[in-house]
Amino acid sequence: MFPRPHAWIAAVWIAAAGSGCHREPTAADGAAQLRKAFPDGGSSDAVRIAVAATQSNDFAAGVIALQAAKTTPGLTAAQLATLEEAAQSITADLARRADAGDAKAKAQLEAIERSRSQ
């Protein structure tokens, strides 16, 4: 006894549709996370710089400021998680764009790496 063909087709379609909904986070997603978690720009200079940098598409400066912002006293666990997630989203998006040949993204990644090695 075999399952009905339409039930099998529906199961395959549902599995395929569910796996296709995932998308990689973008730099814009990271910037949006920051604006949501810190609507007033944040309580520290580093957070304000990170928010402003991402709003102006200076993602290297944003990631570098996010690294500094993690040391800000008084941040909640949720805010710290947002800082980390935003930095990861921005960096991953820059890496994808650099791999696709975007010279500006590659230069921004190099700036981030230089800041980490100092």
Side-chain angles (χ1 to χ4, degrees), residues 7 19-20 34-35 92 98 101 105-106 110:
S19 65
L34 287 176
R35 286 191 299 276
K106 184 177 179 180
E110 289 171 353

Side-chain angles (χ1 to χ4, degrees), residues 2 28 40 55 63:
F2 297 101
D40 62 350
Q55 288 175 333
V63 171

Side-chain angles (χ1 to χ4, degrees), residues 97-110:
R97 291 178 19 213
D99 287 344
D102 184 333
K104 184 176 180 181
K106 184 177 179 180
Q108 289 191 34
L109 280 175
E110 289 171 353

Side-chain angles (χ1 to χ4, degrees), residues 54-71:
T54 57
Q55 288 175 333
S56 67
N57 295 331
D58 186 357
F59 297 116
V63 171
I64 293 165
L66 287 170
Q67 293 167 347
K70 291 177 199 174
T71 63

Side-chain angles (χ1 to χ4, degrees), residues 77-106:
Q79 288 173 322
L80 284 170
T82 298
L83 293 174
E84 182 60 32
E85 290 168 10
Q88 288 177 0
S89 295
I90 294 168
T91 304
D93 188 34
L94 287 173
R96 280 190 301 277
R97 291 178 19 213
D99 287 344
D102 184 333
K104 184 176 180 181
K106 184 177 179 180

